[in-house]
CSV table of all heavy atoms in Angstrom, one decimal:
chain,number,residue,atom,x,y,z
A,1,ALA,N,287.0,6.4,88.9
A,1,ALA,CA,286.2,5.2,89.3
A,1,ALA,C,284.9,5.6,90.1
A,1,ALA,O,283.9,5.0,90.0
A,1,ALA,CB,287.0,4.3,90.3
A,2,GLU,N,285.0,6.8,90.7
A,2,GLU,CA,283.8,7.3,91.4
A,2,GLU,C,282.7,7.6,90.4
A,2,GLU,O,281.5,7.3,90.7
A,2,GLU,CB,284.1,8.5,92.3
A,2,GLU,CG,285.1,8.2,93.4
A,2,GLU,CD,285.5,9.4,94.1
A,2,GLU,OE1,285.0,10.5,93.8
A,2,GLU,OE2,286.4,9.3,95.0
A,3,GLY,N,283.1,8.2,89.3
A,3,GLY,CA,282.1,8.6,88.3
A,3,GLY,C,281.4,7.4,87.7
A,3,GLY,O,280.2,7.4,87.4
A,4,ALA,N,282.2,6.3,87.5
A,4,ALA,CA,281.6,5.1,86.9
A,4,ALA,C,280.6,4.4,87.8
A,4,ALA,O,279.6,3.9,87.5
A,4,ALA,CB,282.7,4.1,86.5
A,5,ALA,N,281.0,4.5,89.1
A,5,ALA,CA,280.1,3.9,90.2
A,5,ALA,C,278.8,4.7,90.2
A,5,ALA,O,277.7,4.1,90.4
A,5,ALA,CB,280.8,3.9,91.5
A,6,GLU,N,278.9,6.0,90.1
A,6,GLU,CA,277.7,6.8,90.2
A,6,GLU,C,276.8,6.6,89.0
A,6,GLU,O,275.6,6.6,89.1
A,6,GLU,CB,278.0,8.3,90.3
A,6,GLU,CG,278.7,8.7,91.6
A,6,GLU,CD,279.2,10.1,91.6
A,6,GLU,OE1,278.9,10.8,90.7
A,6,GLU,OE2,279.9,10.5,92.6
A,7,ASP,N,277.4,6.4,87.8
A,7,ASP,CA,276.6,6.1,86.6
A,7,ASP,C,275.8,4.9,86.7
A,7,ASP,O,274.7,4.8,86.2
A,7,ASP,CB,277.6,6.0,85.4
A,7,ASP,CG,278.1,7.4,85.0
A,7,ASP,OD1,277.5,8.4,85.4
A,7,ASP,OD2,279.1,7.4,84.2
A,8,SER,N,276.4,3.8,87.3
A,8,SER,CA,275.6,2.5,87.3
A,8,SER,C,274.5,2.6,88.4
A,8,SER,O,273.7,1.7,88.4
A,8,SER,CB,276.6,1.4,87.7
A,8,SER,OG,277.1,1.6,89.0
A,9,LYS,N,274.5,3.6,89.3
A,9,LYS,CA,273.4,3.6,90.3
A,9,LYS,C,272.3,4.6,90.0
A,9,LYS,O,271.5,4.9,90.8
A,9,LYS,CB,274.1,4.0,91.6
A,9,LYS,CG,275.0,3.0,92.2
A,9,LYS,CD,275.6,3.5,93.5
A,9,LYS,CE,276.5,2.5,94.1
A,9,LYS,NZ,277.1,2.9,95.4
A,10,LYS,N,272.3,5.1,88.7
A,10,LYS,CA,271.2,6.0,88.4
A,10,LYS,C,269.8,5.3,88.4
A,10,LYS,O,269.7,4.2,87.8
A,10,LYS,CB,271.4,6.6,86.9
A,10,LYS,CG,272.6,7.5,86.9
A,10,LYS,CD,272.7,8.0,85.4
A,10,LYS,CE,273.9,8.9,85.3
A,10,LYS,NZ,274.1,9.4,83.9
A,11,PRO,N,268.8,5.9,89.1
A,11,PRO,CA,267.6,5.2,89.2
A,11,PRO,C,266.8,5.0,87.9
A,11,PRO,O,266.1,4.0,87.7
A,11,PRO,CB,266.8,6.0,90.2
A,11,PRO,CG,267.4,7.4,90.2
A,11,PRO,CD,268.9,7.2,89.8
A,12,GLY,N,267.0,5.9,87.0
A,12,GLY,CA,266.2,5.9,85.7
A,12,GLY,C,266.9,5.1,84.6
A,12,GLY,O,266.3,4.9,83.6
A,13,SER,N,268.1,4.7,84.8
A,13,SER,CA,268.9,4.1,83.8
A,13,SER,C,268.5,2.6,83.6
A,13,SER,O,268.3,1.9,84.6
A,13,SER,CB,270.4,4.1,84.1
A,13,SER,OG,271.1,3.4,83.1
A,14,ARG,N,268.3,2.2,82.4
A,14,ARG,CA,268.0,0.7,82.1
A,14,ARG,C,269.2,0.0,81.6
A,14,ARG,O,269.1,-1.1,81.2
A,14,ARG,CB,266.9,0.7,81.1
A,14,ARG,CG,265.6,1.2,81.7
A,14,ARG,CD,264.4,1.0,80.8
A,14,ARG,NE,264.1,-0.4,80.7
A,14,ARG,CZ,263.4,-0.9,79.8
A,14,ARG,NH1,262.7,-0.2,79.0
A,14,ARG,NH2,263.1,-2.2,79.8
A,15,ARG,N,270.3,0.7,81.6
A,15,ARG,CA,271.6,0.0,81.1
A,15,ARG,C,272.1,-0.9,82.1
A,15,ARG,O,272.0,-0.7,83.3
A,15,ARG,CB,272.6,1.1,80.7
A,15,ARG,CG,272.3,1.9,79.6
A,15,ARG,CD,273.4,2.8,79.2
A,15,ARG,NE,273.1,3.6,78.1
A,15,ARG,CZ,273.9,4.3,77.4
A,15,ARG,NH1,275.2,4.4,77.8
A,15,ARG,NH2,273.6,5.0,76.4
A,16,PHE,N,272.8,-2.0,81.6
A,16,PHE,CA,273.4,-2.9,82.5
A,16,PHE,C,274.7,-2.2,83.1
A,16,PHE,O,275.3,-1.4,82.4
A,16,PHE,CB,273.8,-4.2,81.8
A,16,PHE,CG,272.7,-5.0,81.4
A,16,PHE,CD1,272.3,-5.1,80.1
A,16,PHE,CD2,272.0,-5.7,82.3
A,16,PHE,CE1,271.2,-5.9,79.7
A,16,PHE,CE2,270.9,-6.5,82.0
A,16,PHE,CZ,270.6,-6.6,80.7
A,17,PRO,N,275.0,-2.5,84.3
A,17,PRO,CA,276.2,-1.9,84.9
A,17,PRO,C,277.5,-2.4,84.2
A,17,PRO,O,277.4,-3.5,83.6
A,17,PRO,CB,276.2,-2.4,86.4
A,17,PRO,CG,275.3,-3.6,86.4
A,17,PRO,CD,274.3,-3.4,85.3
A,18,ARG,N,278.5,-1.6,84.2
A,18,ARG,CA,279.7,-2.0,83.5
A,18,ARG,C,280.4,-3.2,84.2
A,18,ARG,O,281.0,-4.0,83.6
A,18,ARG,CB,280.7,-0.8,83.5
A,18,ARG,CG,280.2,0.3,82.7
A,18,ARG,CD,281.2,1.4,82.8
A,18,ARG,NE,280.6,2.6,82.2
A,18,ARG,CZ,281.2,3.3,81.3
A,18,ARG,NH1,282.4,3.0,80.8
A,18,ARG,NH2,280.6,4.4,80.8
A,19,ILE,N,280.3,-3.3,85.5
A,19,ILE,CA,280.9,-4.4,86.2
A,19,ILE,C,279.8,-5.2,86.9
A,19,ILE,O,278.9,-4.7,87.6
A,19,ILE,CB,281.9,-3.9,87.3
A,19,ILE,CG1,283.0,-3.1,86.7
A,19,ILE,CG2,282.4,-5.0,88.1
A,19,ILE,CD1,283.8,-2.4,87.7
A,20,THR,N,279.8,-6.5,86.6
A,20,THR,CA,278.8,-7.4,87.2
A,20,THR,C,279.3,-7.8,88.6
A,20,THR,O,280.4,-8.4,88.7
A,20,THR,CB,278.5,-8.6,86.4
A,20,THR,OG1,278.2,-8.2,85.1
A,20,THR,CG2,277.5,-9.5,86.9
A,21,ARG,N,278.5,-7.6,89.6
A,21,ARG,CA,278.9,-7.9,91.0
A,21,ARG,C,278.1,-9.1,91.5
A,21,ARG,O,278.4,-9.6,92.6
A,21,ARG,CB,278.7,-6.7,91.9
A,21,ARG,CG,279.6,-5.6,91.6
A,21,ARG,CD,279.6,-4.5,92.6
A,21,ARG,NE,280.6,-3.5,92.4
A,21,ARG,CZ,280.6,-2.5,91.6
A,21,ARG,NH1,279.5,-2.4,90.8
A,21,ARG,NH2,281.6,-1.7,91.4
A,22,ASP,N,277.1,-9.6,90.8
A,22,ASP,CA,276.3,-10.7,91.4
A,22,ASP,C,275.6,-11.4,90.2
A,22,ASP,O,275.6,-10.9,89.1
A,22,ASP,CB,275.1,-10.1,92.3
A,22,ASP,CG,274.5,-11.1,93.1
A,22,ASP,OD1,275.0,-12.3,93.2
A,22,ASP,OD2,273.5,-10.8,93.8
A,23,THR,N,275.2,-12.6,90.4
A,23,THR,CA,274.5,-13.3,89.4
A,23,THR,C,273.0,-13.4,89.7
A,23,THR,O,272.6,-13.4,90.8
A,23,THR,CB,275.0,-14.8,89.2
A,23,THR,OG1,274.9,-15.4,90.5
A,23,THR,CG2,276.4,-14.8,88.8
A,24,ALA,N,272.2,-13.3,88.6
A,24,ALA,CA,270.7,-13.3,88.8
A,24,ALA,C,270.3,-14.8,89.1
A,24,ALA,O,270.8,-15.7,88.5
A,24,ALA,CB,270.0,-12.8,87.6
A,25,ARG,N,269.3,-14.9,89.9
A,25,ARG,CA,268.7,-16.2,90.2
A,25,ARG,C,268.0,-16.7,89.0
A,25,ARG,O,267.3,-15.9,88.3
A,25,ARG,CB,267.8,-16.1,91.4
A,25,ARG,CG,267.3,-17.5,91.8
A,25,ARG,CD,266.5,-17.4,93.1
A,25,ARG,NE,265.3,-16.6,92.9
A,25,ARG,CZ,264.6,-16.0,93.9
A,25,ARG,NH1,265.0,-16.2,95.2
A,25,ARG,NH2,263.5,-15.4,93.7
A,26,PRO,N,268.0,-18.0,88.6
A,26,PRO,CA,267.3,-18.4,87.4
A,26,PRO,C,265.8,-18.2,87.5
A,26,PRO,O,265.2,-18.2,88.6
A,26,PRO,CB,267.6,-19.9,87.3
A,26,PRO,CG,268.7,-20.2,88.3
A,26,PRO,CD,268.7,-19.1,89.3
A,27,GLU,N,265.2,-18.0,86.4
A,27,GLU,CA,263.7,-17.8,86.3
A,27,GLU,C,263.1,-19.0,86.9
A,27,GLU,O,263.3,-20.2,86.6
A,27,GLU,CB,263.3,-17.7,84.8
A,27,GLU,CG,261.9,-17.8,84.6
A,27,GLU,CD,261.6,-17.9,83.1
A,27,GLU,OE1,262.5,-17.7,82.3
A,27,GLU,OE2,260.4,-18.3,82.8
A,28,GLY,N,262.2,-18.9,88.0
A,28,GLY,CA,261.6,-20.0,88.6
A,28,GLY,C,262.4,-20.5,89.7
A,28,GLY,O,262.1,-21.6,90.3
A,29,GLY,N,263.6,-19.9,90.1
A,29,GLY,CA,264.4,-20.4,91.1
A,29,GLY,C,264.0,-20.2,92.5
A,29,GLY,O,264.8,-20.4,93.4
A,30,GLY,N,262.9,-19.6,92.7
A,30,GLY,CA,262.4,-19.4,94.1
A,30,GLY,C,262.0,-20.6,94.8
A,30,GLY,O,261.9,-21.7,94.2
A,31,ARG,N,261.7,-20.5,96.0
A,31,ARG,CA,261.4,-21.7,96.9
A,31,ARG,C,260.1,-22.3,96.4
A,31,ARG,O,259.2,-21.6,96.1
A,31,ARG,CB,261.3,-21.3,98.3
A,31,ARG,CG,262.6,-20.9,98.9
A,31,ARG,CD,262.4,-20.4,100.3
A,31,ARG,NE,263.6,-20.0,100.9
A,31,ARG,CZ,263.7,-19.2,101.9
A,31,ARG,NH1,262.7,-18.6,102.4
A,31,ARG,NH2,264.9,-18.9,102.4
A,32,ALA,N,260.0,-23.6,96.4
A,32,ALA,CA,258.7,-24.3,96.0
A,32,ALA,C,257.7,-24.3,97.2
A,32,ALA,O,256.5,-24.5,96.9
A,32,ALA,CB,259.0,-25.7,95.7
A,33,ALA,N,258.1,-23.9,98.3
A,33,ALA,CA,257.3,-23.8,99.5
A,33,ALA,C,257.7,-22.5,100.2
A,33,ALA,O,258.8,-22.0,100.0
A,33,ALA,CB,257.3,-25.0,100.4
A,34,GLY,N,256.9,-22.0,101.2
A,34,GLY,CA,257.2,-20.8,101.9
A,34,GLY,C,258.5,-20.9,102.7
A,34,GLY,O,259.0,-22.0,103.0
A,35,GLY,N,259.1,-19.8,103.1
A,35,GLY,CA,260.3,-19.7,103.9
A,35,GLY,C,260.2,-20.3,105.3
A,35,GLY,O,261.1,-20.7,105.9
A,36,ASP,N,258.9,-20.4,105.8
A,36,ASP,CA,258.7,-21.0,107.1
A,36,ASP,C,258.7,-22.5,107.1
A,36,ASP,O,258.8,-23.2,108.1
A,36,ASP,CB,257.4,-20.5,107.7
A,36,ASP,CG,256.2,-20.7,106.9
A,36,ASP,OD1,256.4,-20.9,105.7
A,36,ASP,OD2,255.1,-20.6,107.4
A,37,ALA,N,258.6,-23.1,105.9
A,37,ALA,CA,258.6,-24.6,105.7
A,37,ALA,C,260.0,-25.1,105.9
A,37,ALA,O,261.0,-24.4,105.7
A,37,ALA,CB,258.1,-25.0,104.4
A,38,PRO,N,260.2,-26.4,106.4
A,38,PRO,CA,261.5,-27.0,106.5
A,38,PRO,C,262.2,-27.1,105.1
A,38,PRO,O,261.5,-27.1,104.1
A,38,PRO,CB,261.3,-28.3,107.1
A,38,PRO,CG,259.8,-28.6,106.9
A,38,PRO,CD,259.1,-27.3,106.8
A,39,ALA,N,263.5,-27.2,105.1
A,39,ALA,CA,264.3,-27.3,103.9
A,39,ALA,C,263.8,-28.3,102.9
A,39,ALA,O,263.7,-28.0,101.7
A,39,ALA,CB,265.8,-27.4,104.2
A,40,PRO,N,263.5,-29.6,103.3
A,40,PRO,CA,263.1,-30.6,102.3
A,40,PRO,C,261.8,-30.2,101.6
A,40,PRO,O,261.6,-30.4,100.4
A,40,PRO,CB,262.9,-31.8,103.1
A,40,PRO,CG,263.8,-31.7,104.3
A,40,PRO,CD,263.8,-30.2,104.6
A,41,ALA,N,260.9,-29.5,102.3
A,41,ALA,CA,259.6,-29.1,101.7
A,41,ALA,C,259.8,-27.9,100.7
A,41,ALA,O,259.1,-27.9,99.7
A,41,ALA,CB,258.6,-28.6,102.8
A,42,ARG,N,260.8,-27.1,101.0
A,42,ARG,CA,261.1,-26.0,100.1
A,42,ARG,C,261.7,-26.5,98.8
A,42,ARG,O,261.6,-25.8,97.8
A,42,ARG,CB,262.0,-25.0,100.7
A,42,ARG,CG,261.4,-24.2,101.9
A,42,ARG,CD,262.2,-23.0,102.3
A,42,ARG,NE,263.6,-23.4,102.7
A,42,ARG,CZ,264.0,-23.5,103.9
A,42,ARG,NH1,263.2,-23.3,104.9
A,42,ARG,NH2,265.3,-23.8,104.1
A,43,GLN,N,262.4,-27.6,98.8
A,43,GLN,CA,263.1,-28.1,97.6
A,43,GLN,C,262.5,-29.5,97.2
A,43,GLN,O,263.2,-30.3,96.6
A,43,GLN,CB,264.6,-28.3,98.0
A,43,GLN,CG,265.3,-27.0,98.4
A,43,GLN,CD,265.3,-26.0,97.3
A,43,GLN,OE1,265.3,-26.3,96.1
A,43,GLN,NE2,265.4,-24.8,97.6
A,44,TRP,N,261.2,-29.7,97.4
A,44,TRP,CA,260.6,-31.0,97.0
A,44,TRP,C,260.8,-31.4,95.5
A,44,TRP,O,260.9,-32.6,95.3
A,44,TRP,CB,259.2,-31.1,97.5
A,44,TRP,CG,258.2,-30.3,96.7
A,44,TRP,CD1,257.7,-29.0,97.0
A,44,TRP,CD2,257.6,-30.7,95.5
A,44,TRP,NE1,256.9,-28.6,96.1
A,44,TRP,CE2,256.7,-29.6,95.1
A,44,TRP,CE3,257.6,-31.8,94.7
A,44,TRP,CZ2,255.9,-29.6,94.0
A,44,TRP,CZ3,256.8,-31.8,93.6
A,44,TRP,CH2,256.0,-30.8,93.2
A,45,PRO,N,260.7,-30.4,94.6
A,45,PRO,CA,260.9,-30.9,93.2
A,45,PRO,C,262.3,-31.5,92.9
A,45,PRO,O,262.4,-32.6,92.3
A,45,PRO,CB,260.8,-29.6,92.4
A,45,PRO,CG,260.0,-28.7,93.2
A,45,PRO,CD,260.4,-29.0,94.6
């Protein structure tokens, strides 16, 4: 298991890791306003 973990952390590798540990945020899923704005302003759309 240690070898598999090391393979997925190679900096030059463009391969997807064997085990997915997180989900990617959708394209355009960032805040609509800056982080210092209140929550309703960040999610106005």
Side-chain angles (χ1 to χ4, degrees):
E2 294 173 6
E6 291 173 10
D7 287 343
S8 66
K9 293 182 183 180
K10 288 182 183 178
S13 175
R14 295 185 67 192
R15 291 185 180 193
F16 290 108
R18 293 178 191 234
I19 300 172
T20 304
R21 291 190 171 83
D22 197 7
T23 55
R25 187 171 66 196
E27 168 192 347
R31 296 174 175 156
D36 55 341
R42 291 191 307 258
Q43 298 298 333
W44 73 264

